[in-house]
Amino acid sequence: MLVTLGGKYGRAFGVAILVTASVLSLAGCSNSAGRADASGESASDANSSSSDLKGFAQWVMPLDEFRVYPMQLDNYAEQLQLKNCLEPAGYQWPVPWQDTNFPQPEDFNRTGYRLFNKDIAAKHGYHLAPPQNEKEAAAWVQFDQFSQSYGDDAAFHAKFSSCLDGIRSKDGLKYMNDANYISELGSQATSVAKQEKAVQSAVERWRSCLTPKVSFAVPADPWAEMPPISVGEQFGIIGQNRTATPTSDEIAAAVADADCRDSSKVSETLYLAIQAQQKKLVDKNRDKLDRIRADATQHQKDLLRIVAENAPAAP
Amino acid sequence: MWTAPNFVSDTFHDPNVRLTFQNCIDNFGRYGYLDNVSSTYNNGGSQGSFLYTGTYQQGGDYIGMWIQSGYASLSSTYNDHLRSGYYSGALGLVNSSTCL
């Protein structure tokens, strides 16, 4: 696996994600969500209803209903089709079994959002929770290593490209682009939400709470920068000296972090702000999102049929 | 991944100046690419890849790429806002010594 340019396969799909630029103009206009006070604060607990927070623990969002299936299903079906195309030509392509429910570790929700709370912090610190099926994960790592064993074999890569072209000839990258369109809307909502005064105030409360409790400089963004690089190295979650389990120091820092997120309501405030922005985006882009969902629902059936007809037996 | 659109670097528009990875990178900042990616391509053959707006798969928002596909020009919300990257097999991997 390698993220790089065209290279050995010599093809580049340059596709620009659609930008709903008008959404960016919503920055700082949270009052229109109906949860703002006169000071410009919004999404506070005082103005939020229990129904707004119903999905908070799992970070359920309005755009989720349009994410019909995970992108990994596209890859699994495609890999099985590649196997059918490559193996008659004499190339092994041992695609492992994969659970099409794609169960997530306990620190991710069903859409791939990484969760962080006191329970997770106490068990895993900042480390990732183990995969639901470690054997399956290991099999895919092994398969990936095998897939690279063809190296620079030009005949193999020519066949591989030919096979992939045939598989994608009908729809191209449509479903990938559709999924990324939804992600794009989600990202826009997050960007706007993070600019809200209520969120920024909550972030400052979080930083003020956490700073005296940890030995490192607390970053500006609790959702995108924790822990900082040097601390991540110290805790063994990044760098050359990774560890499988957290130390007591790491757990202490993570629990303090989670406590401060609770007391400052920073996550809750961001959740409500993103939720409000996503609702606006769903309303604004309803027709396209409905079309994407309908297409994806049908496509999911096709993908599951391909898997059912071609997948190896479950171990 | 490249720092400018169309699969080239900001400096000299060189396609060979790029950040590449296998399995995963938990923090682009270690390589000078934090919030600095403008185009990206999955050149792998077996797994989709996912690029996140936060380090360590955080941030909530990510762009996914099938094998042999990419984006020559990331949208405004992802352009210069990506911080970690994973192939699907490395998602959720614990103690992956193969991460950069």
Side-chain angles (χ1 to χ4, degrees):
Chain A
M1 298 175 300
L2 186 67
V3 167
T4 183
L5 174 65
K8 60 187 178 184
Y9 299 114
R11 295 183 298 147
F13 294 93
V15 184
I17 293 182
L18 298 175
V19 182
T20 309
S22 60
V23 175
L24 298 177
S25 67
L26 294 172
C29 299
S30 57
N31 286 7
S32 60
R35 285 204 298 272
D37 61 24
S39 69
E41 298 273 341
S42 68
S44 68
D45 58 329
N47 293 318
S48 63
S49 68
S50 59
S51 62
D52 291 331
L53 286 168
K54 187 178 176 184
F56 173 62
Q58 282 295 312
W59 208 262
V60 177
M61 284 291 170
L63 282 167
D64 291 357
E65 65 173 294
F66 302 98
R67 302 179 200 264
V68 175
Y69 64 86
M71 203 178 282
Q72 290 95 318
L73 180 59
D74 288 298
N75 187 64
Y76 188 30
E78 195 167 81
Q79 290 298 322
L80 292 167
Q81 292 173 288
L82 280 168
K83 175 185 171 76
N84 288 345
C85 183
L86 289 169
E87 295 201 335
Y91 298 109
Q92 287 188 315
W93 201 249
V95 183
W97 176 83
Q98 191 160 32
D99 184 345
T100 53
N101 289 317
F102 299 95
Q104 296 280 359
E106 67 175 300
D107 54 346
F108 284 84
N109 75 3
R110 81 163 185 89
T111 68
Y113 181 87
R114 188 172 178 186
L115 303 167
F116 184 75
N117 56 42
K118 193 169 180 178
D119 288 342
I120 290 170
K123 287 171 70 175
H124 306 293
Y126 292 110
H127 276 66
L128 293 168
Q132 291 282 355
N133 186 334
E134 295 194 44
K135 285 185 179 176
E136 179 187 326
W140 274 83
V141 170
Q142 190 175 13
F143 169 54
D144 179 65
Q145 290 169 345
F146 177 85
S147 74
Q148 296 173 59
S149 66
Y150 290 103
D152 294 326
D153 182 337
F156 167 78
H157 293 299
K159 182 62 181 175
F160 186 95
S161 292
S162 169
C163 290
L164 193 57
D165 284 344
I167 292 164
R168 289 183 179 169
S169 60
K170 182 185 172 192
D171 297 313
L173 298 170
K174 167 185 159 47
Y175 296 101
M176 180 186 85
N177 289 325
D178 282 352
N180 283 330
Y181 173 78
I182 296 170
S183 294
E184 171 65 21
L185 293 182
S187 183
Q188 289 178 20
T190 302
S191 296
V192 174
K194 282 186 174 180
Q195 295 175 49
E196 288 191 7
K197 186 177 177 183
V199 173
Q200 293 180 348
S201 297
V203 168
E204 284 312 307
R205 291 197 299 273
W206 167 76
R207 296 188 77 234
S208 298
C209 171
L210 187 57
T211 294
K213 296 179 179 177
V214 294
S215 58
F216 54 86
V218 177
D221 187 332
W223 307 284
E225 299 174 14
M226 279 296 285
I229 293 176
S230 60
V231 181
E233 290 175 339
Q234 179 188 331
F235 289 160
I237 59 174
I238 191 172
Q240 302 305 310
N241 299 306
R242 291 165 184 266
T243 59
T245 53
T247 63
S248 56
D249 284 350
E250 178 186 339
I251 287 179
V255 168
D257 182 356
D259 277 341
C260 287
R261 292 186 198 219
D262 286 346
S263 64
S264 66
K265 295 189 182 298
V266 68
S267 296
E268 192 175 298
T269 306
L270 180 69
Y271 176 79
L272 291 170
I274 293 176
Q275 185 185 67
Q277 294 300 333
Q278 286 202 10
K279 283 178 181 173
K280 291 179 189 175
L281 288 168
V282 168
D283 290 343
K284 188 179 179 69
N285 299 282
R286 169 66 72 177
D287 290 347
K288 182 168 183 176
L289 288 166
D290 281 344
R291 192 269 301 161
I292 287 173
R293 177 171 53 187
D295 289 353
T297 300
Q298 180 56 49
H299 191 55
Q300 181 187 31
K301 293 175 184 172
D302 295 339
L303 294 172
L304 290 173
R305 177 184 50 76
I306 291 168
V307 171
E309 292 173 354
N310 297 284
Chain B
M1 294 173 287
W2 296 262
T3 54
N6 301 313
F7 313 116
V8 295
S9 68
D10 274 333
T11 310
F12 307 122
H13 301 287
D14 186 347
N16 295 311
V17 178
R18 63 202 181 206
L19 177 63
T20 64
F21 68 93
Q22 294 182 325
N23 296 312
C24 37
I25 302 183
D26 286 319
N27 193 327
F28 292 168
R30 296 186 79 215
Y31 303 92
Y33 280 73
L34 191 74
D35 294 338
N36 200 20
V37 173
S38 294
S39 54
T40 184
Y41 192 84
N42 176 0
N43 196 37
S46 65
Q47 299 184 32
S49 59
F50 299 85
L51 304 178
Y52 286 75
T53 54
T55 55
Y56 310 107
Q57 300 177 48
Q58 297 175 120
D61 303 307
Y62 56 84
I63 181 171
M65 289 174 293
W66 293 355
I67 61 168
Q68 299 300 300
S69 70
Y71 289 97
S73 179
L74 290 170
S75 67
S76 58
T77 54
Y78 285 120
N79 182 45
D80 291 344
H81 287 98
L82 294 172
R83 296 186 167 190
S84 60
Y86 302 80
Y87 279 92
S88 56
L91 288 171
L93 269 187
V94 177
N95 186 29
S96 175
S97 58
T98 53
C99 278
L100 291 177

